Amino acid sequence: MNVLEMQNIRKSFGDVSVLRDISLTVKKGEVVAIIGPSGSGKSTLLRCATTLEKIDGGTIAICGRALASNVNGKEIFAGKKDLVEIRSMFGLVFQNFHLFPHFSVRRNITESLIHVRKVPKAEANAVADRLLAKMGLSEKADAYPCQLSGGQQQRVSIARALAINPEILFFDEPTSALDPELTGEILKVIRELAEEKMTMVIVTHEMNFAREVADRVIFMADGVIIEEGPAFDLINNPREERTRAFLAGY
Amino acid sequence: MANLQSTILQLLTGMKFTILIFCLTLLFSLPLGLLVAKGRMSGNRIVSGIIRVYISIMRGTPLMLQLLIVYFGPWYIFKIPLRDLTIGDLDYRFVATIIGFTINYAAYFAEIFRGGIQSMPLGQYEAAQVLGFSKSQTFFRIILPQVIKRVLPPVTNEVITLVKDTSLAQVLAVSEMFIAAKSLASAQVSVVPFVVAGVFYYIMNGIIEIGMNKLELKLRYYS
């Protein structure tokens, strides 16, 4: 079953066309890494899939639920009620964490469970504590985000995204805001999630990591997919000149 | 000495009104200010335009003049006789004072709130949106609590100014502390009532400063 299905996505900001007819399908349990130079549209693609940007054309479905569909050439977007349900099927981890600074670590995780999903408070706390244990952050449950290191904050934001038990998890450059010595702890968490067969789409600049963890790598440039294939093949033996030039920089 | 005692007692009686004006103005103008800020940021150009003009007038004309217009408006516009005009059990002079102060302070608070709201990073909205929070949940649970922390210092400024501005209610002959001080001063041919009133204003603001500092410290648990 396809967890994510994006067909012929077009998106421009003003006159700048950022995504030009991009299609991306992700199967259940698959880990897809998106690589490419900055400005290639990879983050925009992720933002379109996660309801943060509205596409100009194309179709998006998550677990078969239409986020955007095209009827007779007219874009139809999911309504409010559908959006709430579709948003309960995916999680997004931001480059800059975007934790809620005024909430404790635990409450960062439970707030949406309690007030959006209507999970009882005790149950939500149990979910948070289980996820924090998994992230190795049990003792930080009552701390505030500002008291944590960048790596710890990012692990909390992964726990927050996992709280709703999503079908698919999106990562938008999850280690780009971290010091090099802290990226390891995030990559370890993502690796563990991959072993648990979590479906994931990861925009990243960590080529070694992409090669090791991803099943499939997509190379994007100038709003189109230049090349895609099994992670090891694409990164070690790129077919396209553009991909080779990009990877030579790493 | 007996003179000073009666001066203090009479000023304290006036102070009751001063405190009442102060509290009621805050009670109404803080929520109204939030609403005005929302209107000012509205995507609807007519709404934001009207709010912009309202804020401009409130900030650009003397509060004393605004109080007079609120008070005399019903007579000049609708020919409603003001003598003995009451609203419920309340003297219209007092009601007009509260209305005047509220609409004036709401304009100032609105601009402070707008600054606070607009200073919030977009990421907070995006994180909330992806987690499924509705617009109002996002505002009241995620944004507003952080905005309150950010706007506390400028709000404290306004609150302190309000304590002193209550003395303007004298133009509508509301018997607050300043009017009491004035009549005592002229009766006693002495400046002492003014000095005592000054001390009282200062004590009120001292209490506010301490309270707001405490609140700021309390919100310092995160940054």
Side-chain angles (χ1 to χ4, degrees):
Chain A
M1 185 187 118
N2 290 332
V3 180
L4 174 69
E5 218 162 321
M6 301 178 87
Q7 299 291 343
N8 310 105
I9 305 298
R10 283 183 293 108
K11 170 78 189 169
S12 15
F13 294 112
D15 294 337
V16 186
S17 156
V18 183
L19 299 176
R20 305 189 240 184
D21 202 30
I22 285 217
S23 296
L24 170 66
T25 306
V26 180
K27 289 197 207 60
K28 195 167 171 55
E30 204 179 12
V31 178
V32 175
I34 305 177
I35 61 171
S38 27
S40 58
K42 38 190 204 316
S43 284
T44 305
L45 186 67
L46 217 62
R47 290 173 60 83
C48 288
T50 52
T51 74
L52 291 177
E53 300 286 353
K54 259 190 172 172
I55 55 174
D56 299 330
T59 64
I60 305 175
I62 293 181
C63 296
R65 293 287 298 269
L67 195 58
S69 47
N70 200 302
V71 181
N72 300 327
K74 205 172 172 289
E75 281 298 309
I76 312 275
F77 294 97
K80 247 189 194 162
K81 230 179 126 198
D82 286 327
L83 270 178
V84 174
E85 289 176 30
I86 294 170
R87 283 179 181 140
S88 71
M89 296 191 282
F90 70 82
L92 171 62
V93 175
F94 296 88
Q95 178 177 347
N96 292 312
F97 333 132
H98 298 330
L99 292 175
F100 304 129
H102 57 309
F103 290 159
S104 69
V105 162
R106 184 185 285 114
R107 195 160 165 205
N108 260 280
I109 300 169
T110 58
E111 191 75 357
S112 75
L113 286 179
I114 295 169
H115 297 289
V116 181
R117 318 285 164 216
K118 310 294 177 204
V119 174
K121 201 173 168 194
E123 205 176 304
N125 280 333
V127 169
D129 289 344
R130 178 174 57 75
L131 287 167
L132 286 173
K134 185 173 171 166
M135 297 293 150
L137 289 170
S138 290
E139 75 284 9
K140 299 289 186 192
D142 297 311
Y144 286 87
C146 61
Q147 299 166 310
L148 306 183
S149 72
Q152 290 170 329
Q153 289 188 48
Q154 190 59 302
R155 278 185 280 158
V156 173
S157 89
I158 295 174
R160 181 175 71 174
L162 283 171
I164 53 161
N165 207 6
E167 294 294 326
I168 180 169
L169 206 47
F170 295 93
F171 292 84
D172 188 5
E173 305 197 22
T175 60
S176 294
L178 299 176
D179 293 334
E181 70 263 30
L182 297 177
T183 57
E185 61 187 73
I186 299 307
L187 300 183
K188 180 168 160 272
V189 168
I190 299 175
R191 200 174 290 128
E192 283 165 9
L193 289 171
E195 280 160 16
E196 294 166 16
K197 292 291 163 213
M198 182 79 204
T199 312
M200 292 185 280
V201 177
I202 309 162
V203 170
T204 183
H205 289 290
E206 302 280 334
M207 295 309 144
N208 289 329
F209 172 72
R211 175 169 49 201
E212 179 205 340
V213 172
D215 299 306
R216 188 152 52 100
V217 170
I218 289 169
F219 173 67
M220 272 180 76
D222 302 325
V224 292
I225 292 175
I226 304 282
E227 183 173 354
E228 67 173 296
F232 189 86
D233 294 354
L234 188 137
I235 292 177
N236 282 45
N237 305 303
R239 277 168 286 140
E240 301 291 329
E241 185 51 44
R242 195 73 209 273
T243 320
R244 263 194 289 262
F246 172 74
L247 287 169
Y250 284 87
Chain B
M1 207 55 219
N3 211 355
L4 183 63
Q5 239 174 23
S6 87
T7 299
I8 289 174
L9 279 177
Q10 290 189 55
L11 287 181
L12 282 176
T13 314
M15 200 181 188
K16 270 191 238 156
F17 268 99
T18 296
I19 292 175
L20 197 59
I21 295 168
F22 172 80
C23 291
L24 288 175
T25 301
L26 281 188
L27 182 70
F28 296 129
S29 65
L30 282 169
L32 182 63
L34 197 57
L35 213 64
V36 172
K38 280 287 198 184
R40 173 76 173 73
M41 292 183 291
S42 162
N44 185 324
R45 279 209 191 151
I46 299 169
V47 173
S48 71
I50 291 170
I51 298 285
R52 201 189 276 248
V53 171
Y54 152 71
I55 290 173
S56 175
I57 292 172
M58 287 299 137
R59 295 199 300 188
T61 60
L63 174 53
M64 195 189 278
L65 183 78
Q66 292 164 16
L67 289 170
L68 289 170
I69 286 176
V70 172
Y71 178 64
F72 289 111
W75 166 248
Y76 284 108
I77 301 168
F78 305 109
K79 299 289 171 215
I80 298 171
L82 293 175
R83 193 184 299 272
D84 309 323
L85 177 60
T86 56
I87 291 180
D89 291 337
L90 292 169
D91 185 346
Y92 181 63
R93 276 183 308 175
F94 183 69
V95 175
T97 305
I98 300 302
I99 293 174
F101 273 105
T102 298
I103 59 173
N104 177 278
Y105 271 78
Y108 283 94
F109 284 136
E111 286 297 272
I112 292 174
F113 292 151
R114 183 171 69 93
I117 291 168
Q118 289 178 339
S119 76
M120 286 297 295
L122 191 61
Q124 292 289 303
Y125 289 94
E126 293 189 340
Q129 183 184 327
V130 168
L131 288 167
F133 289 106
S134 68
K135 280 216 166 109
S136 73
Q137 282 177 324
T138 302
F139 184 72
F140 286 109
R141 294 188 175 279
I142 312 295
I143 304 300
L144 189 59
Q146 298 184 58
V147 167
I148 288 172
K149 178 182 164 121
R150 285 174 191 224
V151 301
L152 221 44
V155 164
T156 304
N157 258 347
E158 289 304 317
V159 171
I160 284 173
T161 306
L162 174 59
V163 168
K164 296 175 286 179
D165 276 357
T166 53
S167 61
L168 292 172
Q170 61 169 300
V171 294
L172 302 188
V174 173
S175 44
E176 44 69 58
M177 186 162 63
F178 197 83
I179 230 171
K182 239 168 65 173
S183 64
L184 283 170
S186 62
Q188 297 174 9
V189 200
S190 156
V191 82
V192 172
F194 281 132
V195 174
V196 176
V199 170
F200 282 164
Y201 282 118
Y202 187 73
I203 290 172
M204 280 174 69
N205 275 330
I207 293 168
I208 289 165
E209 249 176 73
I210 292 167
M212 293 303 254
N213 267 334
K214 280 224 166 98
L215 192 56
E216 266 187 60
L217 281 175
K218 213 181 142 211
L219 291 177
R220 207 167 278 176
Y221 69 90
Y222 72 92
S223 58

